[in-house]
Amino acid sequence: MRTLNVELAERSYPIRIGAGLLADPGLILPYLKTKRVAVVTNDVVGPLYLARFVAGLEAHGLRVTPIVLPDGEAHKDWPTLNLIFDGLLAARCDRSTTLIALGGGVIGDMVGFAAATYQRGVPFIQVPTTLLSQVDSSVGGKTAINHPLGKNMIGAFYQPKLVIADIATLNTLPDRELKAGLAEVIKYGLIRDLPFLDWIEANLERLLARDPDALAEAVERSCRNKAQVVAADETEQGERATLNLGHTFGHAIETGLGYGAWLHGEAVAAGTVMAADLSRRLGWLSDADVERVRAVHVRAGLPVRGVPLGAERYLELMAHDKKVTDGTLRLVLLKAIGQAVITSEAKTDDIRATIDACC
Ligand code: NAD
Ligand code: GLY
C-alpha cells in the first residue's frame, strides 16, 4: 500500500493506494467518529462491490445504512442529491454518522456535497472506483452537483477524512471509462510535471492494459501533484485553477451536448487539445508542442476534436465558467509543455479561431 498525505493543517488526511484495499475495513475504522456509517453508491457499482464492502464493515461491528442512487452524470442533480438525504433521515443518521462515497466522481462529488450540508456537516470518506476519481476528483474537497446551465455550479469545498483508492476495482471499469481517466492523468504532466508526462508517454500501453504497477504509479504520481496544488491553494484563489486545463472548453461540450453524452474525461481531452491550439496562437507553444499534446491523447484513445456546436454557442457556454471574474473569461493555457498559466490574454477572435479549427 502506498500512502500520501494532503497537508491542510487540522483538515489534513491520507490517501491510501493499493490493490484489494476495499477488503480491509481496518483502514477505515480509525477515521470514524462512531460505529454509524452510510455507504452511498449507485446501481452499477453497487452490484459489484456494495455487499462485500458492507459485510466487511458490519463484521467490525459497524451499523451500516446503504444508499443506492441511479447511475450517471445526468443524475448529478438536486433530485438525486435529495435521495441521499431521504436515506439518511429515514435511517435516523445523526451528526456523528460518517458518509462513505463508493463509486466514481459523480458519486464522490454528490456524497461530498451531501456530507457538507447534512445537519450542517458530517464527516465523509472517499472510496473512488474509477481511474478519474482515483487520480483527481476524490482528492481536494471539491464537491458539487450540476445545474442545467452549467457543470458543478452548486457545491462546496469540503474535505474528506480519508481517501482509499483500491486499484483492483479498476479491473471492472469499462475501457471507455479507463481512457477518460487517463485524460486527467495526462493533465498533471502537461500543467506541472514534465517528467511525469515523459513517463506517461513511455508507459501508455501498460496503462491501457491495466498493468497494476503502472496504474498504482499513475494514481500515486497524479495524487501527489493534486495534493501539492490543493495544499497550496485549497479554495482556488490561484494555482488550483490550473487543474482545470481543458475544462472550460470541455465543460462547454458537456453542457452543450447534455450531461452524459460525452464522458467528462473525453470532453477534457478535446478541450486540452483546444487549449494547446490557443496557446500556440498566443505564441507560447510550437506546432510540435501542439502535436505532442494531440498525439498523447490519440494514443490514449481519447477524442482530440470538439463537437461542432458553433463558436458563438461555445462562447456563451464558456461565459458560465467558474473562472469568469467580473465578466472576464480566464482560461488555463500552456506557456510551455509542463507549465500552465491562468490568463485572460486570449482575444475572443483567437478563441473563435481555435473553436473553428478544432471542432
Ligand atoms: P462516473 O462517476 O460517472 O463513473 C463512470 C462510470 O463508471 C459510471 O457508470 C459508474 O457507475 C461506473 N463505475 C464506477 N466505478 C466502476 C467500477 N469499478 N467498475 C465498473 N463500473 C464502474 O464518472 P467519473 O469519470 O468517475 O467522474 C466524473 C465526474 O467527476 C464528473 O461529474 C466531474 O465533474 C467530476 N470531477 C470532479 C472533480 C473534483 O475535483 N471534485 C475532478 C474531476 C472530475
Ligand atoms: N479537478 C479540479 C480541482 O480539483 O481543482
Side-chain angles (χ1 to χ4, degrees):
M1 183 173 73
R2 307 169 186 226
T3 297
L4 298 169
N5 282 302
V6 183
E7 302 293 351
L8 288 167
E10 72 285 355
R11 282 168 297 103
S12 300
Y13 54 93
I15 306 168
R16 312 241 188 254
I17 302 161
L21 304 189
L22 218 55
D24 184 1
L27 292 175
I28 289 179
L29 299 178
Y31 296 89
L32 303 178
K33 257 189 178 171
T34 62
K35 293 199 167 221
R36 194 82 172 85
V37 299
V39 180
V40 186
T41 188
N42 68 32
D43 53 18
V44 169
V45 179
L48 293 168
Y49 298 109
L50 183 64
R52 264 183 298 156
F53 186 56
V54 169
L57 295 172
E58 287 176 343
H60 281 74
L62 302 187
R63 196 171 144 217
V64 185
T65 299
I67 299 175
V68 181
L69 305 178
D71 176 50
E73 185 75 39
H75 292 287
K76 193 177 168 185
D77 59 7
W78 278 116
T80 312
L81 181 72
N82 242 335
L83 296 177
I84 303 179
F85 298 133
D86 291 348
L88 295 173
L89 288 165
R92 298 182 192 279
C93 292
D94 64 23
R95 273 191 164 160
S96 66
T97 304
T98 298
L99 305 197
I100 302 180
L102 175 68
V106 169
I107 285 292
D109 280 15
M110 280 204 295
V111 175
F113 188 37
T117 48
Y118 184 67
Q119 300 198 2
R120 301 197 180 91
V122 293
F124 91 111
I125 291 172
Q126 290 271 19
V127 184
T129 61
T130 62
L131 182 60
L132 186 141
S133 56
Q134 293 187 355
V135 300
D136 191 350
S137 63
S138 63
V139 175
K142 275 191 183 178
T143 75
I145 56 169
N146 298 327
H147 186 280
L149 290 178
K151 275 273 296 174
N152 297 332
M153 281 293 150
I154 323 289
F157 285 101
Y158 194 68
Q159 301 294 340
K161 299 287 180 206
L162 168 71
V163 179
I164 297 181
D166 183 345
I167 306 292
T169 60
L170 302 180
N171 289 329
T172 53
L173 200 61
D175 272 342
R176 188 178 165 200
E177 299 288 352
L178 185 85
K179 290 171 185 168
L182 287 173
E184 303 278 19
V185 176
I186 293 167
K187 172 186 81 178
Y188 295 110
L190 290 174
I191 63 172
R192 71 192 303 275
D193 191 347
L194 201 46
F196 187 34
L197 183 66
D198 294 336
W199 182 89
I200 295 163
E201 288 170 332
N203 289 278
L204 209 40
E205 276 66 38
R206 288 175 69 211
L207 291 168
L208 288 165
R210 302 176 200 232
D211 175 311
D213 292 334
L215 286 172
E217 181 75 9
V219 173
E220 182 183 350
R221 289 175 81 162
S222 298
C223 286
R224 189 178 303 136
N225 274 292
K226 177 122 191 204
Q228 285 169 359
V229 173
V230 169
D233 179 21
E234 183 184 8
T235 57
E236 199 168 306
Q237 305 306 305
E239 185 188 356
R240 184 163 181 173
T242 61
L243 295 173
N244 280 325
L245 177 69
H247 285 55
T248 305
F249 291 112
H251 283 167
I253 293 171
E254 289 185 270
T255 308
L257 283 182
Y259 300 124
W262 274 36
L263 302 182
H264 176 71
E266 293 171 341
V268 167
T272 297
V273 177
M274 293 167 83
D277 179 90
L278 188 52
S279 304
R280 182 181 56 78
R281 287 173 201 276
L282 288 169
W284 296 342
L285 292 191
S286 66
D287 289 346
D289 290 333
V290 178
E291 179 50 27
R292 184 174 180 187
V293 175
R294 206 188 66 83
V296 70
H297 288 94
V298 169
R299 284 182 58 213
L302 287 160
V304 289
R305 291 188 68 76
V307 283
L309 300 171
E312 295 318 308
R313 178 70 177 134
Y314 266 97
L315 290 169
E316 183 188 322
L317 289 162
M318 289 162 70
H320 284 289
D321 191 86
K322 287 190 288 307
K323 287 183 294 304
V324 170
T325 309
D326 224 2
T328 301
L329 179 62
R330 295 179 312 139
L331 290 167
V332 181
L333 299 179
L334 295 172
K335 276 272 175 186
I337 302 281
Q339 190 195 343
V341 287
I342 309 139
T343 177
S344 49
E345 279 182 59
K347 304 228 173 5
T348 306
D349 281 349
D350 283 330
I351 301 174
R352 272 201 196 93
T354 283
I355 294 166
D356 290 340
C358 296
C359 302

